[in-house]
Amino acid sequence: MAKYIIRGGKKLEGKIEAESAKNAVLPLLAAACLTDEEVIIKNCPPILDVVSMVNILKELGVKVRYEGKNLIVDASSMHSYSIPYSLSKELRSSVFMLGALISRFKSAEASYPGGCDIGLRPIDLHLAGLKQMGVRVGEFGGEIVCKADKLTGGDIYFDFPSVGATENIMLAAVLAEGRTVIHNAAKEPEVEDLQQFINSMGGKVSGAGSSVITVDGVKRLHGTEYKPIFDRIEAGTYLVAAAATGGNIEISNCNPEKISALLHKLCENTCKITLNNDIIYLKSGSVRKSFNIETLPYPGFPTDMQAQMVALAAVSNGISVIRENIFETRFRHVRELNRMGANIVVKDRVAIVSGVKELSGAKVTAHDLRGGAALIVAGLNARGVTVIDDIRHVERGYYKPEEKFRMLGADFEKL
Ligand code: UD1
């Protein structure tokens, strides 16, 4: 199994470019199945989650190919609405296919989706929304079977602004009869990106980025060429890693406004942040200071940056208190960080982090995607050698981190 070997203690210095967002590309791939015309999604890194989603599409008869980093999707020969268990279990986003498949075939079959083991992650909101649109949903031994005579719009209220459920209902509603209004919708930038993508295909969606999204059903969608939004979590991970090493970096291809909750926390940590159009410059302060965080739906602090910030807090002066409000069991990185000399206590959903001067290298295991990223941040800070096992989790969401970190001067190998 592949591992990362990091010899820490080097300040990160230099420039990199942010990739397209994993969490934008995945629903876009589902949306691309709603037309028989060619769709080009530009600058898609072939990270493992994208590869898994492409495999699902291919299994359903969609032609997908890479040209450089562009993904070309042609769903004209799509013939199946049934996603096998072996593919559903690979990633959470297989659930988006329910909305797209029911829209296209009036039938969809899938297993309960996989993804990071960070909490219960039910899909009740997705299914309740689909039911309101006229879908009959059956659940048998982990399999979900959806059927509809026709899909009709209506008012859908979410108890919680779930990102995936919002996107799934948008996908189901684009070609449905009439108007669908999603209340208490997720406001994440990737939801806005899906709206822009659907509209570039001739859809009629408005309101994304606010808590009410309106979808007016259209008869058909056409092909498009589209560049997804930058990956705010990838960019954020590199910024946090630079801060943990006392480095200075710049990242281009960003929309800084979409990452401002993180940038404010990095300023509290005494980093100096400068913005110039799509470029974020980070200059570390001389002393790292503790900070408190509560993860919240956007525009609050993103849960996907919590683990990396725990690693930064572990080497920041004073006590940081970090509360995880979105997922129930998203602190599995803490045990690994403590093996590296961190001083962190977790009580229910709160991590109390007493900063130490520096960490020391150790053999550790990535248990999930962002938890793995936190171990990289820690390894870059640590004295000595850190070996990270099970890096397939990291490769689900980060494109060639070994090369990007080496470009920033890190001693970072993939074995
Ligand atoms: C998406 C992101 C993930 C991010 C998360 C929160 C993708 C591919 N993944 O995941 O990286 O961490 O948003 O920003 O975009 N919930 C329910 N019932 C449902 C759906 C969700 O109870 O039907 C709960 C979940 O268990 C969780 C919370 O709502 O506690 C947030 O989940 P949600 O916003 O749906 O996250 P995902 O779409 O899975």
Side-chain angles (χ1 to χ4, degrees), residues 23 92-93 121-126 162-164 303-304 326-327:
N23 288 352
R92 172 85 182 160
S93 303
R121 307 191 85 178
I123 55 166
D124 53 322
L125 300 172
H126 301 241
S162 155
V163 177
T303 173
D304 284 355
I326 308 294
F327 292 107

Side-chain angles (χ1 to χ4, degrees), residues 57 91 113 135 154 161 164 195 226 298 310 320 326 332 350 376 403:
L57 263 53
L91 87 162
V135 179
Q195 166 177 290
Y226 189 83
Y298 189 86
V310 169
S320 301
I326 308 294
R332 293 177 76 194
V350 179
I376 292 177
E403 286 182 15

Side-chain angles (χ1 to χ4, degrees), residues 221-299:
L221 295 176
H222 54 71
T224 186
E225 189 170 328
Y226 189 83
K227 181 169 180 279
I229 189 174
F230 83 110
D231 195 322
R232 60 196 168 104
I233 308 301
E234 190 218 16
T237 302
Y238 284 92
L239 292 172
V240 172
T245 64
N248 306 309
I249 65 165
E250 69 175 75
I251 309 186
S252 57
N253 187 34
C254 296
N255 179 347
E257 190 201 317
K258 305 292 182 200
I259 195 179
S260 57
L262 172 69
L263 298 183
H264 278 98
K265 285 296 156 189
L266 288 171
C267 291
E268 269 182 45
N269 188 243
T270 71
C271 295
K272 189 163 182 283
I273 303 282
T274 318
L275 308 176
N276 183 6
N277 299 319
D278 75 335
I279 303 180
I280 301 174
Y281 300 87
L282 176 141
K283 191 170 183 305
S284 296
S286 48
V287 183
R288 289 184 286 267
K289 269 178 57 184
S290 58
F291 45 83
N292 299 331
I293 287 178
E294 271 207 43
T295 64
L296 289 168
Y298 189 86

Side-chain angles (χ1 to χ4, degrees), residues 162-395:
S162 155
V163 177
T166 301
E167 293 172 333
N168 220 344
I169 297 307
M170 284 164 78
L171 290 169
V174 188
L175 296 170
E177 251 176 46
R179 172 171 280 192
T180 305
V181 183
I182 308 171
H183 301 266
N184 199 20
K187 300 181 204 151
E188 267 67 3
E190 294 76 20
V191 175
E192 264 187 90
D193 210 48
L194 179 61
Q195 166 177 290
Q196 276 182 40
F197 178 76
I198 291 172
N199 289 347
S200 78
M201 296 169 79
K204 281 197 178 156
V205 188
S206 58
S210 78
S211 57
V212 181
I213 297 176
T214 304
V215 186
D216 285 309
V218 294
K219 287 264 178 294
R220 62 179 293 278
L221 295 176
H222 54 71
T224 186
E225 189 170 328
Y226 189 83
K227 181 169 180 279
I229 189 174
F230 83 110
D231 195 322
R232 60 196 168 104
I233 308 301
E234 190 218 16
T237 302
Y238 284 92
L239 292 172
V240 172
T245 64
N248 306 309
I249 65 165
E250 69 175 75
I251 309 186
S252 57
N253 187 34
C254 296
N255 179 347
E257 190 201 317
K258 305 292 182 200
I259 195 179
S260 57
L262 172 69
L263 298 183
H264 278 98
K265 285 296 156 189
L266 288 171
C267 291
E268 269 182 45
N269 188 243
T270 71
C271 295
K272 189 163 182 283
I273 303 282
T274 318
L275 308 176
N276 183 6
N277 299 319
D278 75 335
I279 303 180
I280 301 174
Y281 300 87
L282 176 141
K283 191 170 183 305
S284 296
S286 48
V287 183
R288 289 184 286 267
K289 269 178 57 184
S290 58
F291 45 83
N292 299 331
I293 287 178
E294 271 207 43
T295 64
L296 289 168
Y298 189 86
F301 192 91
T303 173
D304 284 355
M305 284 305 305
Q306 175 261 103
Q308 302 89 315
M309 288 302 269
V310 169
L312 177 61
V315 291
S316 297
N317 260 346
I319 295 181
S320 301
V321 178
I322 298 182
R323 170 180 281 276
E324 172 57 55
N325 288 318
I326 308 294
F327 292 107
E328 299 88 345
T329 52
R330 203 170 197 180
F331 278 128
R332 293 177 76 194
H333 41 284
V334 164
R335 198 181 58 196
E336 306 299 312
L337 292 172
N338 283 346
R339 286 164 56 84
M340 298 176 72
N343 182 355
I344 310 169
V345 178
V346 174
K347 241 186 151 246
D348 301 324
R349 285 182 172 219
V350 179
I352 298 162
V353 188
S354 308
V356 297
K357 206 156 180 284
E358 66 176 0
L359 299 171
S360 42
K363 286 189 174 158
V364 288
T365 302
H367 294 293
D368 58 73
L369 166 55
R370 307 304 171 186
L375 299 180
I376 292 177
V377 171
L380 290 165
N381 167 280
R383 191 169 12 95
V385 182
T386 297
V387 180
I388 307 178
D389 262 340
D390 249 357
I391 60 169
R392 68 196 159 90
H393 291 293
V394 177
E395 293 187 328

